[in-house]
């Protein structure tokens, strides 16, 4: 059974594209065939995050216009052979694609890939319907800010109205030190407001930004594994049905000293 999952949010800039790229890589790494679909027409940047922008020849729009075959538009990742990207067009208008057409494209991909992850624009945008139409499940990304959470709540309603029942929550950019002193909502606060099951907690980590700028998703590099990397990998494992404990972000930073301390600690115990 192919999993067709839209990654969406109420507010823009909360980390949808980052999650799509890293989660896709994490799923591919543990052996699934993954297709990433950029459904953020007009504001495409999934290709940039993946570092695949120079390899795009055709996009979804050309496939739909029958100017090329689907196969020709898929960009294969040389670093991770289990992953392909279906790029969005940048220079045609957002209305170039309809929800029915998106369904056609995604269903064709679903024949061959175990996961189809759709990177969506935020819930208030035009392209939102296109991105959600083919999806059977949704991951809602929010940051722990009131505005983002309130908008996420609205999107839960929209998704439910579309018949998407399997909806999970990802809380991105958590800063434990701020949560501790009550300067930031906690994951529990967010979850209580939204009342949808949690599938991931991702710390705020500047390495995420660095990796974005380099076009190398964090999950791709196996050296210097950060908590954010582990967080993405854990979401992949939970999607696969594994029970994985949530990260304890309250533990000190994952620097070499704390790792050593944890190591010693387990030995003592
Ligand atoms: P969206 O697709 O929802 O608009 P993006 O994935 O493009 O959001 O992310 C918006 C910005 O936030 C990017 O600059 C990205 O690097 C940054 N970002 C996302 N997640 C994190 C994180 N966990 N830690 C630090 N920066 C992040
Ligand atoms: Mg985006």
């Amino acid at each position: 059974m192919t999993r067709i999952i839209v990654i969406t949010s109420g507010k823009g800039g909360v980390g949808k594209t980052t999650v799509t790229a890293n989660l896709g890589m994490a799923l591919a790494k543990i052996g699934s065939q993954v297709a990433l679909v950029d459904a953020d027409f007009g504001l495409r940047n999934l290709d940039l995050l993946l570092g695949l922008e120079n390899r795009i020849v055709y996009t979804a729009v050309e496939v739909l216009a029958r100017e090329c075959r689907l196969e020709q538009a898929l960009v294969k990742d040389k670093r991770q052979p289990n992953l392909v990207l279906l790029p969005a067009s940048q220079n045609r208008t957002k209305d170039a694609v309809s929800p029915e057409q998106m369904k056609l494209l995604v269903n064709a991909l679903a024949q061959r890939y175990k996961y189809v992850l759709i990177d969506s624009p935020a819930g208030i945008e035009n392209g939102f319907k296109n991105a959600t139409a083919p999806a059977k499940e949704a991951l809602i990304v929010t940051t722990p800010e009131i505005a983002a959470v309130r908008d996420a709540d609205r999107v839960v309603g929209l998704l439910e109205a579309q018949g998407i029942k399997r909806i999970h929550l990802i809380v991105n950019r958590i800063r434990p030190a701020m949560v501790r002193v009550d300067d930031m909502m906690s994951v529990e606060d967010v979850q209580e407001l939204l009342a949808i099951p949690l599938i991931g907690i991702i710390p705020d980590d500047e390495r995420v930004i660095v990796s974005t700028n380099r076009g190398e998703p964090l999950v791709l590099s196996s050296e210097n594994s950060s908590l954010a990397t582990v967080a993405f990998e854990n979401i992949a494992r939970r999607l696969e049905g594994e029970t994985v404990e949530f990260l304890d972000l309250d533990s000190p930073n994952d620097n070499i000293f704390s790792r050593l301390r944890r190591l010693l600690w387990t030995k003592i115990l």
Side-chain angles (χ1 to χ4, degrees), residues 180-241:
R180 232 173 285 134
V181 294
D182 261 350
D183 280 339
M184 182 179 266
M185 291 169 86
S186 70
V187 174
E188 291 74 33
D189 295 336
V190 176
Q191 209 199 342
E192 207 166 286
L193 286 170
L194 291 176
I196 50 175
L198 185 69
I199 197 166
I201 307 170
I202 305 160
D204 191 75
D205 187 335
E206 61 186 34
R207 278 168 287 194
V208 173
I209 301 168
V210 174
S211 73
T212 299
N213 293 338
R214 284 200 193 134
E216 282 173 24
L218 216 52
V219 170
L220 196 61
S221 63
S222 37
E223 11 76 72
N224 69 37
S225 163
S226 63
L227 274 182
T229 308
V230 178
F232 290 122
E233 287 171 348
N234 284 352
I235 299 173
R237 290 167 61 197
R238 290 186 194 109
L239 279 177
E240 287 278 274

Side-chain angles (χ1 to χ4, degrees), residues 3 25-26 37 50 57 74 106 114 119-120 138 156-160 165 176 178 180 188 196 203 211-212 227 230 240:
R3 308 273 298 269
M25 281 291 174
V37 177
L50 290 163
V57 182
L74 297 178
V106 169
K114 167 112 187 281
D119 183 18
S120 154
V156 175
L158 292 176
L159 293 171
E160 283 171 347
K165 294 192 187 73
M178 286 181 72
R180 232 173 285 134
E188 291 74 33
I196 50 175
S211 73
T212 299
L227 274 182
V230 178
E240 287 278 274

Side-chain angles (χ1 to χ4, degrees), residues 119-162:
D119 183 18
S120 154
I124 40 160
E125 313 254 346
N126 280 341
F128 177 78
K129 271 222 171 74
N130 284 337
T132 51
K136 301 276 185 284
E137 351 176 1
L139 299 179
I140 295 204
V141 183
T142 187
T143 49
E145 295 154 303
I146 289 288
V149 174
R150 189 187 50 198
D151 292 352
D153 194 40
R154 236 176 259 148
V155 165
V156 175
L158 292 176
L159 293 171
E160 283 171 347
Q162 281 191 33

Side-chain angles (χ1 to χ4, degrees), residues 242-261:
E242 246 185 86
T243 308
V244 187
E245 262 191 62
F246 286 96
L247 286 181
D248 179 13
L249 294 180
D250 246 342
S251 59
N253 287 334
D254 63 328
N255 57 30
I256 185 75
F257 300 107
S258 61
R259 263 185 234 163
L260 267 175
R261 191 165 55 226

